Amino acid sequence: MKATQLSFAMQPKKWFSMSIFIIVLTISFFATAQEKQSQKKESGSLFQIYYNNTVFKIKNEKGAIVAEKKYAQLTQTEKKLVPSYLVGSKTTPTKEELDELLKKGGPAEIIVDAFDPKNVKTKKEDSNAVYNTSEITVNPEFPNGMEAFYKFVGENFTMPKTPNDVKLSGKTYVSFIIETNGEISNIKVLRDIGYGTGEEAVRVLKLSPKWTPGKVNDEAVRTAYSLPITIQSKS
C-alpha cells in the first residue's frame, strides 16, 4: 500500500492530513496564500479578507438602502450577490498576485440589491426540477461546512490497491443531486483514473449524512452539485 497525502483549501481555518489529496474548485490552488492570510486575519475566508474594509449597503424592495453590513454579517442570499474577488481575471493568479490582491482589498462600498430583476430567482413549475447553484438563492451545505465534508471524505476514502510499480495521480470527477430532504442521489462518476477510484468515491458519497438543501426564496429545491477529487499516491 502506498502512502498518500490529503490537503484541503477553501475556508482555511484548519488543515487536514489524511489518505487522499483533495482539491476542490479553483480556490484550492491558493492554499499557501490562504494559510498565510488566515494567520493575519480572524477569519480564513478569502472573501472576508478581500472585503474586510468594504461596506455593503442593502436595498429593500423599494430600492431604498435599509442597512449597512460587513461581509461576515451578510446572509447567504446576500453573499451570493457579492462579486468574486477574481472577477475579470482570465487566469489563475500566482501566490504573489493573490497576496497583492488580498492586500489591496475590495472597493469601499458595494450595493446589494436582491430585488433587482436580474438577481431575482424563481421556482420552476416542475416540482421535480433540478437546479444549478446559479439558479438558487441559498446554496446547499454539508453539516458544519465544507471543511467537515473534506474531513468526512478523507476519513472514509480507502486508497485502492495497485501494483507496486503503479503510482496513482489524477482527478476523479463526480456529480450528484442534493434532494430537498438533504439526501444525496444520482451519484455519477464523470471521469476517473482507474483502479476503482471512481467506485470508491461513489461508496464514500453514499455514506454522506444529510446536507442542508439548496433553496429558492426559502423553499428547498433539488440541486445539482459536482466536484473533482484529485488523487495522488506517494511512495
Side-chain angles (χ1 to χ4, degrees):
M1 176 82 69
K2 296 180 176 64
T4 58
Q5 285 186 325
L6 174 63
S7 106
F8 308 102
M10 199 169 176
Q11 307 289 341
K13 299 176 183 175
K14 185 177 180 182
W15 298 90
F16 303 94
S17 294
M18 301 174 186
S19 59
I20 296 295
F21 177 72
I22 294 182
I23 303 177
V24 180
L25 306 178
T26 308
I27 296 177
S28 58
F29 293 105
F30 308 152
T32 303
Q34 287 182 338
E35 185 175 30
K36 179 179 179 181
Q37 291 296 335
S38 66
Q39 292 170 351
K40 298 177 181 178
K41 304 290 182 180
E42 250 179 46
S43 169
S45 165
L46 288 182
F47 271 84
Q48 188 162 333
I49 293 171
Y50 179 73
Y51 287 117
N52 184 57
N53 295 317
T54 300
V55 174
F56 295 88
K57 297 186 176 183
I58 314 301
K59 284 189 175 183
N60 64 10
E61 58 213 24
K62 295 181 179 179
I65 294 175
V66 293
E68 293 187 358
K69 299 181 179 181
K70 301 295 287 184
Y71 182 80
Q73 298 172 317
L74 298 177
T75 65
Q76 281 198 49
T77 299
E78 291 165 348
K79 285 181 178 180
K80 282 180 67 68
L81 300 177
V82 175
S84 170
Y85 47 86
L86 295 178
V87 64
S89 176
K90 296 181 179 180
T91 59
T92 301
T94 64
K95 173 186 177 298
E96 291 73 20
E97 290 172 336
L98 182 62
D99 280 342
E100 183 61 29
L101 180 67
L102 296 178
K103 181 180 179 181
K104 180 180 179 182
E109 64 179 50
I110 288 179
I111 303 296
V112 177
D113 186 0
F115 300 95
D116 186 317
K118 71 176 183 293
N119 293 329
V120 174
K121 312 297 182 182
T122 57
K123 195 170 182 295
K124 301 174 182 178
E125 292 185 7
D126 182 2
S127 61
N128 203 40
V130 177
Y131 297 71
N132 61 51
T133 53
S134 67
E135 298 175 309
I136 60 180
T137 51
V138 177
N139 287 342
E141 186 177 19
F142 186 82
N144 297 317
M146 288 308 294
E147 281 188 4
F149 174 75
Y150 306 152
K151 183 178 180 181
F152 163 79
V153 173
E155 289 178 340
N156 287 279
F157 194 104
T158 300
M159 193 66 171
K161 293 182 179 179
T162 61
N164 292 331
D165 61 342
V166 174
K167 182 178 179 181
L168 291 180
S169 179
K171 294 182 179 181
T172 293
Y173 292 85
V174 294
S175 67
F176 49 91
I177 293 174
I178 299 170
E179 300 289 347
T180 57
N181 65 357
E183 293 182 352
I184 286 181
S185 70
N186 295 75
I187 303 171
K188 296 180 180 179
V189 177
L190 306 178
R191 190 171 73 195
D192 65 25
I193 59 175
Y195 294 96
T197 52
E199 290 84 349
E200 178 62 9
V202 171
R203 184 191 71 81
V204 172
L205 288 174
K206 286 182 177 179
L207 299 175
S208 173
K210 289 185 177 182
W211 292 51
T212 298
K215 296 181 179 180
V216 173
N217 303 324
D218 294 326
E219 187 171 352
V221 296
R222 305 177 74 209
T223 308
Y225 208 88
S226 63
L227 53 83
I229 300 176
T230 299
I231 302 172
Q232 183 173 334
S233 59
K234 188 174 183 180
S235 300

